[in-house]
């Protein structure tokens, strides 16, 4: 987890505050085997008419600790 960054989660949380907990969502996950950093999950309202957010997990290389 130290080298993963979740992009878009906070924005999705803000958008979901407008919906009740029992409200259903549609999600679409797109993954590229050759470039895992391009994977993303899109969230839509249950009718599929409005995109509520996009989450992308970005793998970050560890910093080189050489002095």
């Amino acid at each position: 987890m130290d080298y993963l960054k979740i992009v878009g989660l906070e924005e999705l949380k803000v958008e979901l505050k407008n919906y009740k907990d029992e409200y259903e969502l549609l999600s679409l996950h797109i993954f590229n085997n050759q470039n895992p950093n391009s994977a993303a999950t899109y969230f839509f309202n249950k009718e599929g008419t409005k995109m509520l957010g996009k989450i992308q997990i970005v793998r970050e290389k560890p910093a080189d600790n050489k002095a």
Side-chain angles (χ1 to χ4, degrees), residues 3 12-13 15 21 23 29 33-34 37 39 41 46 50 56-57 65 67:
Y3 306 113
L12 179 62
K13 286 180 182 179
E15 184 66 35
D21 288 340
Y23 190 80
H29 181 73
N33 284 338
Q34 295 176 348
N37 277 338
T41 303
K46 67 181 178 181
K50 179 181 178 188
Q56 186 172 15
I57 298 175
N65 290 332

Side-chain angles (χ1 to χ4, degrees), residues 17-29:
K17 287 182 181 181
N18 298 323
Y19 297 91
K20 296 181 181 180
D21 288 340
E22 61 272 4
Y23 190 80
E24 296 178 1
L25 300 177
L26 296 175
S27 63
L28 171 66
H29 181 73

Side-chain angles (χ1 to χ4, degrees), residues 33-57:
N33 284 338
Q34 295 176 348
N35 184 4
N37 277 338
S38 70
T41 303
Y42 298 86
F43 294 89
F44 300 88
N45 63 355
K46 67 181 178 181
E47 295 83 14
T49 58
K50 179 181 178 188
M51 188 173 88
L52 304 176
K54 171 187 169 186
I55 293 179
Q56 186 172 15
I57 298 175

